[in-house]
Amino acid sequence: MLAEIETEVVIVGAGPAGLMLACELALAGVETLVLEKLPGRIEQVKGGAIQPRTAELLELRGLLEPLLRRAVPSDPVGGHFAALPVPLDCTPWQTRHPFPIAIPQWGIEEALEERATAGGARVVRGTVVAGVEQDHNGVTVTADGLRVRARYLAACDGGHSTVRKLLGLPFPGRPGTHQAVLADIRLSAVSSLVPGQLGHMSTLTRQGGGHWAMLAPLGGDRYRFTFGRAGQEDTGRDTPVTHEEITTALRAVYGEETTLGAVDNSSRFTDATRQLEHYRAGRVLFAGDAAHIHPPLGGQGLNLGIQDAFNLGWKLAAAVQDRAPSGLLDSYHAERHPIGAQVLHHTSAQRVLADPHPSEDVSALRDIFIDLLRLPDANRHLAGLMSGLSLSYELSGEHPLTGQRMPDVDLVTQAGPTRLSALFGSGHAVLLDLAGVVPAGLRLPARVDLVRATCADDVGAAALLFRPDGYLCWAADNSAACDETLLSTIAGDLTEVP
């Protein structure tokens, strides 16, 4: 007999996207259950870098500090585009976190799960989903010994999503052109060719003996080893990676003196590129790799998934709590699908430039591209693209700041000095009045916080309304705009107005 469970939202998949979504829903007071097929967390580095915009978003919720405690020690170094030897400079984007942060994926998952469960979310591991049915009122999920009834289901179960397959949804795109191996290993002896510390991606890649490889030091004898070879035949995704396979690649690229001590874990991956046509199918929503996969360049997948969850979380909470304006939940697909498509587009371009065995024409293209990356405007553009700092949404509203992120400026409130990022810990929308233009008697919904402050920097508006995910949905230069459009924007873009 199946155990019956009722919850408001069931999430399938306890990776970064699923756990970030669980954090957001729990913060909003939504009853949340996470189902994960693996019996325990795999301590594998995987997507091991937090990009600057993701760091900013995590800081909004007080999650960055616990993640930094799990970071791999390294010198600050800019990101990369296609592993070309010119660091990306994010400082023109006015961020407090201009460098990617190296954190093993399992450490990210650990910190997110701690926060989610502390907020009331439940995580059940070792549970394989076998069936998904939905109707006008909710979704029923059957899994090992469980039947779960929820108002909504969020599928965050990876590139081979069981939920997506059970619903029969196509996953259009291109199959992989080559296969590679990712392994967390320990070395008992190293040659002079083995890097001693994390650095720019271009300094960590090498070729030799027909192999290409990237060896990233993680501290002590631990390394993240990524490798492949020209003309390699595809091996089944689930075919175990052998010690001999890893040893051969290590010796070919890093010399006979480099000795494999142990393999902590390993897996195979390809550079396949695919994206769901719709991120919502009735009461089922998709986020992370379940919605999109692409070549693993620049840690884009992990960051894209976490940012999917940030966009979806507050909207799904509003829908569950029956306070969402018409179309709010559908705006998740409308906003995030183009962002996913953009990542698929530029990682496809990077795949060409990063080819370890480029043709003469591609080599010439690389040389030109390296020269372009040294130009400040070109570097700024690609830094914004790879870091997520240039991301904006197409929102209604006449003010030019609408849809943008805002740098984490210093503020002074009646309670004392603070920062913009410190205003979002509750997961509420924030109405920031910097010039006393918001009427004193204005009635706001419970989940819109009014903060009156001063700011030494010119932020481009007298009053600003931020969504719970930190993006501006309204701004005004004077009190007249407050009277004319503020409440209608709240009612149309955020939540019900009293």
Side-chain angles (χ1 to χ4, degrees), residues 208-374:
H211 287 78
W212 61 266
M214 181 181 72
L215 197 57
L218 302 176
D221 63 350
R222 298 175 61 244
Y223 294 81
R224 180 194 191 208
F225 187 37
T226 310
F227 67 91
R229 58 186 172 85
Q232 179 177 352
E233 295 182 3
D234 281 350
T235 306
R237 182 176 67 92
D238 297 324
T239 302
V241 180
T242 66
H243 281 231
E244 180 183 6
E245 196 176 348
I246 296 173
T247 296
T248 299
L250 276 172
R251 290 179 174 173
V253 180
Y254 298 98
E256 294 291 329
E257 312 96 293
T258 302
T259 305
L260 179 64
V263 179
D264 292 338
N265 48 65
S266 59
S267 59
R268 302 183 190 275
F269 66 92
T270 75
D271 60 345
T273 298
R274 299 183 183 278
Q275 186 179 27
L276 270 177
E277 293 179 350
H278 300 284
Y279 286 7
R280 180 181 181 185
R283 288 183 173 267
V284 181
L285 298 114
F286 293 83
D289 289 353
H292 41 67
I293 59 172
H294 51 80
L297 291 159
Q300 296 296 292
L302 182 149
N303 290 271
L304 190 60
I306 289 178
Q307 292 184 39
D308 283 347
F310 256 93
N311 187 285
L312 175 60
W314 67 275
K315 297 174 180 178
L316 184 54
V320 169
Q321 295 168 349
D322 297 321
R323 53 181 175 81
S326 175
L328 181 65
L329 193 53
D330 285 329
S331 74
Y332 165 65
H333 166 82
E335 291 178 3
R336 293 304 298 173
H337 192 277
I339 302 301
Q342 183 183 63
V343 171
L344 266 64
H345 189 64
H346 72 65
T347 52
S348 293
Q350 291 182 74
R351 174 170 49 190
V352 175
L353 292 168
D355 188 337
H357 305 287
S359 66
E360 184 177 347
D361 289 345
V362 171
S363 294
L365 178 63
R366 283 173 55 91
D367 290 341
I368 297 295
F369 220 92
I370 290 169
D371 288 340
L372 290 173
L373 274 175
R374 295 192 174 106

Side-chain angles (χ1 to χ4, degrees), residues 109-474:
E109 293 172 358
E110 181 181 62
L112 293 178
E113 185 170 344
E114 286 179 1
R115 174 64 66 86
T117 54
R122 293 174 293 166
V123 179
V124 178
R125 294 185 175 274
T127 305
V128 178
V129 171
V132 175
E133 296 180 359
Q134 60 177 315
D135 53 45
H136 292 302
N137 298 316
V139 183
T140 301
V141 177
T142 53
D144 295 333
L146 297 176
R147 178 182 286 114
V148 181
R149 180 65 178 175
R151 291 190 62 182
Y152 291 93
L153 183 158
C156 305
D157 53 341
H160 298 274
S161 170
T162 297
V163 175
R164 193 182 63 232
K165 293 174 182 176
L166 288 171
L167 294 179
L169 299 176
F171 200 31
R174 295 183 296 172
T177 60
H178 71 263
Q179 189 179 82
V181 171
L182 174 63
D184 291 347
I185 64 173
R186 298 175 186 268
L187 298 180
S188 56
V190 300
S191 72
S192 59
L193 299 176
V194 173
Q197 64 179 8
L198 282 176
H200 191 259
M201 179 68 71
S202 61
T203 69
L204 301 176
T205 56
R206 292 186 60 82
Q207 295 185 51
H211 287 78
W212 61 266
M214 181 181 72
L215 197 57
L218 302 176
D221 63 350
R222 298 175 61 244
Y223 294 81
R224 180 194 191 208
F225 187 37
T226 310
F227 67 91
R229 58 186 172 85
Q232 179 177 352
E233 295 182 3
D234 281 350
T235 306
R237 182 176 67 92
D238 297 324
T239 302
V241 180
T242 66
H243 281 231
E244 180 183 6
E245 196 176 348
I246 296 173
T247 296
T248 299
L250 276 172
R251 290 179 174 173
V253 180
Y254 298 98
E256 294 291 329
E257 312 96 293
T258 302
T259 305
L260 179 64
V263 179
D264 292 338
N265 48 65
S266 59
S267 59
R268 302 183 190 275
F269 66 92
T270 75
D271 60 345
T273 298
R274 299 183 183 278
Q275 186 179 27
L276 270 177
E277 293 179 350
H278 300 284
Y279 286 7
R280 180 181 181 185
R283 288 183 173 267
V284 181
L285 298 114
F286 293 83
D289 289 353
H292 41 67
I293 59 172
H294 51 80
L297 291 159
Q300 296 296 292
L302 182 149
N303 290 271
L304 190 60
I306 289 178
Q307 292 184 39
D308 283 347
F310 256 93
N311 187 285
L312 175 60
W314 67 275
K315 297 174 180 178
L316 184 54
V320 169
Q321 295 168 349
D322 297 321
R323 53 181 175 81
S326 175
L328 181 65
L329 193 53
D330 285 329
S331 74
Y332 165 65
H333 166 82
E335 291 178 3
R336 293 304 298 173
H337 192 277
I339 302 301
Q342 183 183 63
V343 171
L344 266 64
H345 189 64
H346 72 65
T347 52
S348 293
Q350 291 182 74
R351 174 170 49 190
V352 175
L353 292 168
D355 188 337
H357 305 287
S359 66
E360 184 177 347
D361 289 345
V362 171
S363 294
L365 178 63
R366 283 173 55 91
D367 290 341
I368 297 295
F369 220 92
I370 290 169
D371 288 340
L372 290 173
L373 274 175
R374 295 192 174 106
L375 300 176
D377 286 348
N379 193 293
R380 179 184 183 277
H381 172 72
L382 290 177
L385 196 66
M386 293 296 288
S387 67
L389 293 170
S390 63
L391 185 156
S392 62
Y393 295 122
E394 294 285 340
L395 304 181
S396 60
E398 297 181 358
H399 200 281
L401 292 177
T402 304
Q404 305 291 318
R405 69 174 268 277
M406 177 67 64
D408 187 13
V409 294
D410 291 308
L411 303 171
V412 178
T413 68
Q414 189 174 16
T418 188
R419 285 161 49 181
L420 179 62
S421 60
L423 306 181
F424 292 86
S426 65
H428 294 179
V430 173
L431 175 58
L432 180 60
D433 183 3
L434 296 175
V437 298
V438 176
L442 184 67
R443 291 186 63 203
L444 294 171
R447 299 187 66 84
V448 178
D449 297 338
L450 172 60
V451 178
R452 299 185 190 273
T454 59
C455 180
D457 299 315
D458 180 6
V459 301
L464 309 104
L465 179 63
F466 297 89
R467 307 189 318 185
D469 60 357
Y471 287 89
L472 276 160
C473 60
W474 175 91

